[in-house]
Amino acid sequence: MMTMEYNPYLPRPASVNAVREESLETKTLRLSLINWRATFLPGQFVQLLLPGVGEAPFCITSSPSDPKHLELTIMRRGLVTTAAHYMRPGDAVGIRGPFGRPFPVESFKGKDLVIVATGIGIAALRSLILYTIENRNDFGDVTLLYGARFVEDLVYREELKSWAEKIKVIVTLSKPSEKWKGLKGRVTDHLDTIKLGENSLAVICGSPAVMVSVAKTLIEKGLEQKDVYLSMERHMKCGIGKCARCMIPGGFMVCKDGPVFSAGEINLEDVGE
Amino acid sequence: MAKLSWHEILGLITELQKRGFDVVGPSSEGGVVKLLPLEENTKLETNYVRTLNSPKDFLLPNKERLFRYKSTATVTSYGLKIRFPTVEGPCPITIVPEYSPPRGRIAFFGIHPCMVNSIRYLDKVMLSDPADPYYKARREGLFIAVLECDEGDEYCFCKSVGCEKVPNGYADLSIKKEGDGFVVTPRSPTGSSLLMEEGVEQIEETIPKMKEEYLFDAKDEKSIDLKDPANLLEDCTICSSCTVVCPTCYCSDIQDRFSLMDPSNVERIRTRMSCQRKSYSSIAGGVTFLRTKNERFKWRMKHKFPFSERMYGISGCVGCGNCIAFCPSRIDFRTFLGRRVA
């Protein structure tokens, strides 16, 4: 083996430290990095390699203050995600990354944040939520509006309670059971309850159609396009902009130019489904 | 500048091989001209317009192995069983990627200017920050001997996209057919040392004669979006050969593969991916962004023209016409994007 300059295609070793069940379909893997540290910011993603199965991109859901560990929240959907649900503490995995452009958290400081997440989209924003809670004094009002279909789909249920002590948390269900006592309806129905000021910023992640409609509503309500941030999803393969699998309209690579885009950079009409 | 006979041209190839290059050049095989490694039994072809494959097949080979690693998978009577290796358990295995960088000694001998332009495009994509280490290793020490092109066929349109000339620094030798012989001009120090001449010469390049010329209106995405390719694509069979023969289509997929005979040795490979396939834009949860062949055709056009222009400042289409000539339905995008002017 020859030592060469940095090769972004080679995975680095990690092992599963703990597995947390978040919902029926979702688990959070806590990974310990073996002899390396990950420097990252909220919004970036890694490629998780499961030996013998394959590789898939996941947003980092843990706080950047712990560079020795990474947490990935994984919903059971395809080959790699299903295999990930069989992982047990001690299992070896590989990590490539972190890749991508993070949220510009430095420029978020001193602002009021509106964080809108639907479904598993909250996984991509948990890192940012933890970051704002850890640096609570740097931010103004922080509101999390989280929508899901069923109560079983809600992830981070325990954490939502502890987050609610530090930031405003609004949870809404679009198809609640009769027992549900909280808010009902889609996230777009509850955007009116959030006060938007000149100092406000919005961060959105969810299914493509929801992201676009939320972004449009917020812009109609007076937010500037550059102050609305979306975390886009594509199936990134290489992570460094060489395979062009994650290209979105406008010719941007989600892995390199994103996954975080401001609504001013991309054409909202085109990026939906 | 030197006037060389056919035998002396073949001598140049032998000399390149002596210097350690893998010489790749056009050669007839099975009725088509292909770029093939030139060996004893492969004859160099100089009377050709287009080749079926392109330099990308050598610089960015299909099914390239990125690295190998060991997994603990075993085959049982009821299928494949994957037991994940445990780090501090009974079998202390971590993923150790075994990897050796490719050896970069490729010489392209006798390729046309459009193909040289495609190498420039691949360079822009693969060497932009961060550089692709596999491409970079292959690209280092690349030797290019350009065979000047006199006349294109009915599918050629390099002049319409500005790729009729060899870009600066992309040729070591220029070869021009003249009567029975060839006029060979050194364009780089490596080229002049091969000809055993001193210095580098600037030449007036032959501009190939085109049967047809077009004016494209594809600088921005909107102009492509507004057009409807439904009529044009009536005969499209979604075979994606347009992206296979294109010298600048570089989209790829990354997969882990292993043989069922020995599932513990896993290879991470990079294979070609085509935007003409539905799986190209599928994401978890079943969302596909480019659902119809019309959308996917427009996507190819957008990647070639406005996106490449925005990202790399050059056209992603080099005007070789391969996608039209090798399309089973001869789908011609040129009148879709612009109009014929000559």
Side-chain angles (χ1 to χ4, degrees):
Chain A
M1 214 188 324
M2 198 178 128
T3 47
M4 220 176 69
E5 57 195 287
Y6 170 60
N7 183 347
Y9 288 102
L10 295 188
R12 287 183 279 188
S15 71
V16 178
N17 189 304
V19 182
R20 275 202 311 274
E21 208 146 323
E22 303 284 1
S23 74
L24 282 178
E25 286 191 299
T26 316
K27 279 185 181 179
T28 297
L29 299 186
R30 185 173 171 79
L31 308 175
S32 305
L33 311 181
I34 300 170
N35 297 330
W36 63 284
R37 281 160 178 270
T39 36
F40 66 96
L41 279 173
Q44 287 188 289
F45 70 96
V46 291
Q47 293 276 4
L48 172 69
L49 161 70
L50 302 185
V53 183
E55 195 179 59
F58 296 100
C59 260
I60 305 170
T61 59
S62 55
S63 158
S65 60
D66 183 1
K68 297 282 284 175
H69 295 92
L70 292 177
E71 286 184 5
L72 309 175
T73 301
I74 298 170
M75 188 184 242
R76 191 172 176 152
R77 275 289 175 266
L79 184 74
V80 176
T81 50
T82 305
H85 274 234
Y86 288 100
M87 300 299 276
R88 287 165 306 184
D91 288 347
V93 295
I95 294 283
R96 293 201 292 128
F99 296 122
R101 182 175 64 163
F103 289 107
V105 280
E106 283 304 312
S107 70
F108 283 7
K109 290 194 172 159
K111 306 259 181 150
D112 295 338
L113 277 187
V114 179
I115 301 172
V116 185
T118 63
I120 195 63
I122 194 166
L125 303 179
R126 180 175 175 244
S127 182
L128 179 70
I129 296 166
L130 294 176
Y131 183 87
T132 55
I133 289 173
E134 280 166 20
N135 306 285
R136 191 64 195 87
N137 297 333
D138 292 343
F139 297 90
D141 291 337
V142 180
T143 315
L144 167 68
L145 174 56
Y146 173 29
R149 266 184 298 178
F150 308 104
V151 72
E152 291 84 5
D153 286 349
L154 288 176
V155 293
Y156 311 134
R157 260 174 273 179
E158 290 306 308
E159 279 174 89
L160 285 169
K161 288 172 199 156
S162 63
W163 293 349
E165 291 164 15
K166 300 273 190 172
I167 61 173
K168 196 176 168 201
V169 177
I170 308 169
V171 179
T172 172
L173 293 183
S174 61
K175 290 177 185 169
S177 63
E178 285 167 8
K179 283 183 202 162
W180 176 252
K181 294 195 182 69
L183 288 176
K184 291 170 190 173
R186 294 163 177 272
V187 282
T188 35
D189 303 335
H190 300 286
L191 285 175
D192 288 333
T193 58
I194 299 169
K195 259 203 317 218
L196 294 175
E198 275 188 7
N199 214 10
S200 294
L201 279 172
V203 176
I204 313 166
C205 187
S207 73
V210 175
M211 272 203 287
V212 171
S213 71
V214 171
K216 278 186 187 165
T217 318
L218 288 171
I219 291 165
E220 272 168 29
K221 282 161 65 85
L223 277 190
E224 276 188 59
Q225 284 204 329
K226 67 171 176 53
D227 290 337
V228 177
Y229 291 88
L230 301 100
S231 179
M232 304 293 294
E233 183 199 358
R234 285 292 187 277
H235 196 155
M236 300 80 130
K237 289 282 179 176
C238 68
I240 51 172
K242 305 296 177 211
C243 71
R245 283 294 295 284
C246 59
M247 202 187 257
I248 56 167
F252 297 102
M253 305 284 188
V254 172
C255 66
K256 204 171 102 185
D257 306 322
V260 174
F261 291 96
S262 81
E265 289 170 315
I266 49 176
N267 190 348
L268 287 179
E269 301 293 337
D270 292 341
V271 294
E273 271 177 61
Chain B
M1 195 185 291
K3 202 158 163 41
L4 301 184
S5 68
W6 175 252
H7 282 284
E8 286 165 314
I9 289 283
L10 296 184
L12 286 183
I13 295 174
T14 322
E15 175 62 24
L16 276 171
Q17 282 163 339
K18 269 190 206 147
R19 293 188 185 189
F21 283 103
D22 298 329
V23 185
V24 173
S27 178
S28 288
E29 192 191 73
V32 283
V33 181
K34 289 181 195 168
L35 289 182
L36 291 172
L38 294 178
E39 288 147 8
E40 265 177 51
N41 302 325
T42 352
K43 193 173 164 286
L44 181 74
E45 174 71 56
T46 52
N47 291 315
Y48 74 98
V49 175
R50 61 183 67 257
T51 50
L52 180 66
N53 56 357
S54 56
K56 85 168 176 187
D57 290 293
F58 297 90
L59 291 170
L60 209 58
N62 194 7
K63 295 185 184 153
E64 176 177 24
R65 185 205 294 160
L66 298 178
F67 59 86
R68 271 200 322 209
Y69 64 87
K70 295 269 184 197
S71 94
T72 45
T74 45
V75 180
T76 62
S77 55
Y78 52 88
L80 186 75
K81 184 181 178 191
I82 292 169
R83 190 169 62 83
F84 293 112
T86 303
V87 172
E88 284 159 344
C91 54
I93 298 175
T94 55
I95 295 164
V96 184
E98 287 172 43
Y99 149 78
S100 56
R103 196 179 63 106
R105 296 292 280 173
I106 302 175
F108 289 115
F109 199 93
I111 55 172
H112 281 325
C114 51
M115 291 299 148
V116 182
N117 274 287
S118 83
I119 299 176
R120 176 173 77 143
Y121 181 75
L122 292 179
D123 278 357
K124 289 259 183 195
V125 176
M126 290 293 157
L127 300 181
S128 62
D129 187 53
D132 185 281
Y134 301 87
Y135 181 86
K136 199 177 166 199
R138 284 214 167 75
R139 174 71 181 78
E140 261 163 30
L142 183 71
F143 182 94
I144 303 173
V146 189
L147 177 67
E148 291 194 2
C149 182
D150 316 313
E151 194 175 2
D153 62 11
E154 64 266 43
Y155 305 120
C156 287
F157 58 100
C158 58
K159 263 186 188 169
S160 313
V161 286
C163 291
E164 72 276 19
K165 283 188 175 173
V166 175
N168 253 344
Y170 274 85
D172 295 290
L173 284 183
S174 263
I175 306 170
K176 190 181 176 183
K177 277 180 274 184
E178 212 175 73
D180 290 341
F182 297 86
V183 178
V184 183
T185 321
R187 307 271 300 265
S188 79
T190 331
S192 45
S193 83
L194 191 77
L195 279 183
M196 288 183 275
E197 283 187 13
E198 299 268 315
V200 176
E201 291 174 49
Q202 291 301 320
I203 52 155
E204 192 75 25
E205 280 180 41
T206 321
I207 305 292
K209 261 191 286 181
M210 288 289 113
K211 289 215 168 79
E212 301 174 3
E213 274 183 57
Y214 292 83
L215 195 68
F216 292 129
D217 163 37
K219 283 267 183 273
D220 83 290
E221 220 181 314
K222 274 277 163 299
S223 64
I224 297 178
D225 266 329
L226 291 174
K227 290 172 185 157
D228 181 19
N231 282 336
L232 180 69
L233 298 183
E234 215 170 334
D235 296 334
C236 174
T237 56
I238 329 183
C239 69
S240 61
S241 87
C242 44
T243 56
V244 174
V245 295
C246 175
T248 60
C249 270
Y250 62 89
C251 291
S252 57
D253 197 21
I254 291 175
Q255 299 172 347
D256 283 19
R257 286 192 178 181
F258 48 82
S259 137
L260 282 177
M261 301 297 287
D262 178 19
S264 62
N265 280 318
V266 188
E267 282 188 347
R268 165 72 50 90
I269 55 161
R270 170 157 65 184
T271 63
R272 282 269 207 284
M273 187 61 190
S274 170
C275 58
Q276 302 306 301
R277 296 170 65 175
K278 208 170 177 181
S279 55
Y280 171 84
S281 61
S282 294
I283 60 171
V287 177
T288 303
F289 292 93
L290 307 170
R291 268 172 294 201
T292 62
K293 65 180 176 186
N294 296 1
E295 282 173 55
R296 299 201 284 269
F297 170 79
K298 282 195 203 173
W299 188 257
R300 178 162 73 94
M301 294 296 112
K302 285 181 197 169
H303 192 176
K304 291 290 169 227
F305 293 96
F307 295 173
S308 295
E309 204 75 46
R310 191 193 70 75
M311 283 189 287
Y312 309 111
I314 55 171
S315 160
C317 177
V318 295
C320 66
N322 268 5
C323 56
I324 310 166
F326 294 116
C327 173
S329 312
R330 296 281 186 281
I331 292 167
D332 190 338
F333 74 85
R334 293 176 292 184
T335 44
F336 172 76
L337 278 191
R339 59 194 165 85
R340 192 173 164 182
V341 288

